[in-house]
Amino acid sequence: MALLVQKYGGTSVGTTERIEAVADKVSRFRKDGHSVVVVVSAMSGETNRLIGLASDIMEEPTPREMDVLVSTGEQVTIALLSMALQKRGCDARSYTGSQVRILTDSSHTKARIKQIDEQRMREDLDAGRVVVVAGFQGMDDNGNITTLGRGGSDTTAVALAAALKADECQIYTDVDGVYTTDPRVVDTARRLDRITFEEMLEMASLGSKVLQIRAVEFAGKYNVPLRVLSSFQEGGGTLITLEDENAMEQPVVSGIAFNRDEAKLTIAGVPDTPGSALRILKPVSDANIEVDMIVQNVGEDNRTAFTFTVHRNDFKRAKEVLQRVADELGAREVAGDGKIAKVSIVGVGMRSHAGVATQMFESLSNEGINIQMISTSEIKISVVIDEKYLELAVRALHSTFELDKAAVSEEA
Ligand code: ADP
Ligand code: ASP
Ligand code: MG
């Protein structure tokens, strides 16, 4: 019999009826003889509601108090699910992150898990109980409540699975697996039976929010068997696997990720001298603003231009910092665009295929879409385009790289 860690996301526990349905599912696994640790998210919309309450009080609340606030959502669902399990005669106990000693660093709102003491969970499991743990939260060395960043319940589940050496970590959500692209945007998207950790990591970090990036990193590092499945329908979902050397030929492109959360900044007419990149980007990083893509143009008349992207939430602040830098350096101008999107094609098969970039550019050019920035790595190519062409671009690339699912005939 297996030891399973199962995570149920916000939509899956979004109402008491849905919590009862999760309890039905979990108690069936228990009846089949499996040991189960369940990790739950807050009810869908709850974390956003709590963030909204804080912003009614002040613009920039301290991260410590934000964590105390937003961690409450998960405390509600662990209690309700445990009650629903008990009602079914299934022994269960709920725990907050600090009660099961999920120790993190002290970076409030984006804490990293350092250590988990699995002893308490083991005792419950040995006594035949389902252990229900609040996702997304932990505690630092001083006992302060911390949270793991949006979508962090995925990471809690994978970390518990690693600590307990579980047979599988199952992420139950509102889609029945990982698709070639977001199935809510492209209706011809196809579910993948398998995807490698490496590809999933790229997909997650390039905007596919089906799994939190840290969860994938953690699963890869500790080799946790990880599966994404539907809470609402039966099926094998998608297994995230190590690369299989013997696998039949890999598709060149496995998936398409996109991200509307970025904004673009340009500083033009910068003196083209050693150290100018440092003088521009250091103040940005000193302001705790993360930079994603960076492009420096070829200099002309001893002047050059830098363009880079940041998270849209940091756009205003980054522009202010850049304006100050421009004044100091005697740069000509600062410009910004908050309405961009990044589209990326991902696939381990790209390593062994030439001409993928050309195919991508041709596909976008056929749709009349202008590429503003490009960045590549071994297994991905990303482009920045005008946000209004995002869906068109994703659909075009999806078809160019033959990712569309086979059309289902009406008579079949
Ligand atoms: P949960 O609340 O269960 O954690 P999320 O909303 O975080 O669920 O993640 C599931 C959502 O991820 C899906 O509803 C889907 O819209 C989105 N998504 C984005 N990219 C993909 C993809 N490639 N495959 C599947 N789902 C994706
Ligand atoms: N409730 C948190 C969020 O909405 C964590 C999670 O759902 O994974 O981000
Ligand atoms: Mg999620």
Side-chain angles (χ1 to χ4, degrees):
M1 289 300 120
L3 168 54
L4 304 173
V5 175
Q6 303 187 326
K7 178 252 170 178
Y8 293 88
T11 317
S12 314
V13 294
T15 60
T16 46
E17 289 78 24
R18 288 195 167 165
I19 290 176
E20 300 249 20
V22 170
D24 281 337
K25 213 173 166 92
V26 172
S27 55
R28 274 202 301 277
F29 277 97
R30 276 296 298 137
K31 283 209 183 89
D32 289 344
H34 302 298
S35 296
V36 190
V37 173
V38 183
V39 173
V40 282
S41 291
M43 292 167 125
S44 57
E46 177 63 6
T47 309
N48 286 344
R49 187 186 73 86
L50 293 166
I51 293 171
L53 291 178
S55 62
D56 287 348
I57 303 276
M58 66 192 293
E59 204 175 316
E60 280 191 44
T62 56
R64 183 187 183 281
E65 301 315 320
M66 276 312 280
D67 278 350
V68 174
L69 176 68
V70 296
S71 61
T72 60
E74 273 73 8
Q75 191 165 338
V76 172
T77 45
I78 50 169
L80 293 175
L81 178 60
S82 301
M83 290 172 196
L85 285 165
Q86 289 164 6
K87 187 168 97 176
R88 283 159 179 76
C90 180
D91 197 3
R93 260 189 201 164
S94 64
Y95 294 104
T96 62
S98 56
Q99 285 175 318
V100 279
R101 309 219 167 277
I102 298 179
L103 278 185
T104 71
D105 62 20
S106 301
S107 333
H108 285 289
T109 77
K110 46 176 185 290
R112 281 184 174 268
I113 296 176
K114 294 198 298 188
Q115 201 192 321
I116 292 177
D117 173 11
E118 90 278 25
Q119 201 44 44
R120 191 161 189 179
M121 288 183 282
R122 286 244 185 253
E123 285 166 18
D124 280 319
L125 292 172
D126 290 346
R129 289 185 202 107
V130 173
V131 178
V132 182
V133 181
F136 176 55
Q137 53 180 260
M139 152 184 112
D140 74 2
D141 289 338
N142 298 319
N144 296 300
I145 296 173
T146 54
T147 63
L148 310 177
R150 297 307 303 269
S153 300
D154 296 337
T155 303
T156 304
V158 174
L160 291 184
L164 291 161
K165 300 189 177 55
D167 294 291
E168 193 163 280
C169 180
Q170 304 177 331
I171 307 290
Y172 287 92
T173 182
D174 55 4
V175 281
D176 63 342
V178 178
Y179 278 67
T180 45
T181 192
D182 190 339
R184 299 197 194 287
V185 172
V186 176
D187 53 14
T188 50
R190 186 165 42 82
R191 187 179 60 77
L192 300 163
D193 288 330
R194 290 163 168 261
I195 184 168
T196 67
F197 280 113
E198 211 183 351
E199 287 169 323
M200 193 61 238
L201 195 58
E202 286 285 5
M203 292 280 282
S205 58
L206 295 167
S208 297
K209 291 182 183 137
V210 59
L211 283 175
Q212 201 202 29
I213 308 167
R214 296 254 179 87
V216 188
E217 269 172 3
F218 225 103
K221 187 165 166 196
Y222 294 98
N223 207 359
V224 176
L226 181 62
R227 193 184 289 276
V228 177
L229 318 105
S230 165
S231 293
F232 307 114
Q233 67 195 73
E234 295 300 311
T238 302
L239 187 66
I240 326 291
T241 59
L242 292 173
E243 202 163 332
D244 182 358
E245 305 270 312
N246 304 317
M248 294 204 307
E249 204 177 329
Q250 293 277 0
V252 180
V253 173
S254 300
I256 299 177
F258 53 84
N259 183 350
R260 306 173 208 258
D261 295 342
E262 293 189 22
K264 186 179 80 167
L265 290 148
T266 299
I267 176 165
V270 182
D272 195 6
T273 49
S276 57
L278 175 72
R279 295 223 292 280
I280 292 165
L281 294 170
K282 187 166 180 301
V284 177
S285 98
D286 287 348
N288 235 330
I289 298 171
E290 236 176 87
V291 170
D292 179 23
M293 284 162 107
I294 308 173
V295 173
Q296 181 184 357
N297 287 1
V298 177
E300 212 175 282
D301 300 332
N302 291 326
R303 297 265 163 178
T304 186
F306 282 87
T307 302
F308 57 90
T309 61
V310 296
H311 195 283
R312 243 178 238 190
N313 294 346
D314 293 326
F315 183 41
K316 198 167 140 245
R317 254 178 351 113
K319 211 167 164 198
E320 284 162 10
V321 172
L322 210 56
Q323 195 56 61
R324 271 205 311 278
V325 173
D327 295 342
E328 277 164 31
L329 291 180
R332 199 175 57 238
E333 66 169 332
V334 170
D337 185 352
K339 294 205 160 53
I340 56 152
K342 183 168 77 173
V343 182
S344 312
I345 57 175
V346 174
V348 287
M350 264 188 231
R351 283 201 186 107
S352 49
H353 281 81
V356 185
T358 313
Q359 257 180 295
M360 181 181 197
F361 304 153
E362 189 177 15
S363 173
L364 296 173
S365 151
N366 288 343
E367 300 296 336
I369 300 171
N370 186 39
I371 299 172
Q372 303 178 9
M373 294 170 85
I374 302 170
S375 106
T376 64
S377 76
E378 225 190 355
I379 66 159
K380 73 117 203 278
I381 305 172
S382 302
V383 296
V384 167
I385 58 171
D386 189 323
E387 187 187 15
K388 67 173 181 262
Y389 300 121
L390 174 63
E391 291 181 10
L392 178 63
V394 176
R395 280 175 215 280
L397 293 169
H398 202 263
S399 130
T400 296
F401 291 103
E402 295 174 358
L403 297 173
D404 290 349
K405 66 179 167 208
V408 181
S409 124
E410 293 270 302
E411 291 116 78

